[in-house]
Amino acid sequence: MLKPSDKWSWYYSDSEGYLMLDLGQEMVFRTNLSRNLLVDSAFSNPSFTVDDASDYQTYKERISGLQLTEPRQVELALYCVAAKRFHKPVQPKSWFFDYQSVTDTKPEEGDIVGLVNGFNQGFFIVLEVGESASLCALIELEPFILSTTKQLEFGQVIKVMHDRMSIANHILQPERVALVS
């Protein structure tokens, strides 16, 4: 398992066109955040902070119950950390999703939520919670169809109003515990 380090650092790669994370030992992780999605601070080669490490652990723990391989879990957790810290603020794009809640659904960071539209249904992890909308990342390997011309890929983010969400933490598999006598 990949352990966060204070030697890791973020940087934008002009040749790749994406935000990167230097993991040391000649290992580099390419995020899914291109130049047009990044806040200005992403271009100043910021270090991987204690907050980044804490967020990584939070996301990694939450998604450990998903039916994803270990490398995919690490990939998703790093996508989530990068998006939370460096994604430009965006307006909700709730028109892509059906209403699901007549009550005030108020997710918490790290919650798994279900979103539905006329094309499909899917699951997302909540990265940032706002008053009435939250930034979420797709946790499924299959693309989520938004419209006839748009789709989200694994780890991509979208901001959605809470009335479009249903809390779906039940999809997390309980960790197996070995009983020892």
Side-chain angles (χ1 to χ4, degrees), residues 26-40:
E26 298 184 28
M27 290 191 310
V28 174
F29 176 77
R30 189 188 94 169
T31 72
N32 55 2
L33 297 176
S34 59
R35 175 180 285 281
N36 62 327
L37 299 175
L38 296 169
V39 294
D40 291 342

Side-chain angles (χ1 to χ4, degrees), residues 32 63 66 68 72 75-77 79-80 83 97 112-115 120-127 135-146 151-158:
N32 55 2
I63 62 178
L66 297 175
L68 295 173
R72 283 297 201 171
E75 177 185 12
L76 180 58
Y79 282 161
C80 291
F97 306 99
I112 305 299
V113 295
L115 296 170
N120 45 199
Q121 62 182 16
F123 296 104
F124 294 73
I125 186 168
V126 176
L127 306 182
L135 188 67
C136 304
L138 179 64
I139 62 172
E140 299 191 67
L141 297 175
E142 295 295 317
F144 186 94
I145 308 300
L146 296 171
Q151 67 183 22
L152 288 175
E153 301 292 335
F154 176 72
Q156 286 185 312
V157 300
I158 191 165

Side-chain angles (χ1 to χ4, degrees), residues 4 6 11 16 19 26-27 35 37 47 84 99 102 107 109 113 134 144 161 176 178:
D6 60 359
Y11 68 96
E16 291 285 329
L19 180 68
E26 298 184 28
M27 290 191 310
R35 175 180 285 281
L37 299 175
S47 61
K84 181 179 178 188
Y99 285 98
V102 291
E109 185 177 328
V113 295
S134 293
F144 186 94
M161 301 291 286
R176 296 189 180 117

Side-chain angles (χ1 to χ4, degrees), residues 60 63-66 68-78:
K60 187 72 173 70
I63 62 178
S64 67
L66 297 175
L68 295 173
T69 63
E70 179 71 20
R72 283 297 201 171
Q73 289 179 19
V74 168
E75 177 185 12
L76 180 58
L78 289 174

Side-chain angles (χ1 to χ4, degrees), residues 52-124:
D52 292 341
S54 176
D55 289 340
Y56 174 80
Q57 288 303 124
T58 297
Y59 298 135
K60 187 72 173 70
E61 286 171 14
R62 292 298 295 174
I63 62 178
S64 67
L66 297 175
Q67 297 291 320
L68 295 173
T69 63
E70 179 71 20
R72 283 297 201 171
Q73 289 179 19
V74 168
E75 177 185 12
L76 180 58
L78 289 174
Y79 282 161
C80 291
V81 172
K84 181 179 178 188
R85 182 163 175 200
F86 298 111
H87 199 287
K88 278 185 179 175
V90 292
Q91 293 297 316
K93 293 186 171 56
S94 299
W95 57 84
F96 288 121
F97 306 99
D98 298 342
Y99 285 98
Q100 291 193 70
S101 175
V102 291
T103 62
D104 278 343
T105 299
K106 182 75 174 192
E108 294 181 11
E109 185 177 328
D111 274 350
I112 305 299
V113 295
L115 296 170
V116 177
N117 65 17
F119 298 100
N120 45 199
Q121 62 182 16
F123 296 104
F124 294 73

Side-chain angles (χ1 to χ4, degrees), residues 146-165:
L146 296 171
S147 71
T148 56
T149 58
K150 292 183 185 227
Q151 67 183 22
L152 288 175
E153 301 292 335
F154 176 72
Q156 286 185 312
V157 300
I158 191 165
K159 193 169 192 177
V160 183
M161 301 291 286
H162 295 151
D163 62 3
R164 304 317 202 269
M165 299 177 181

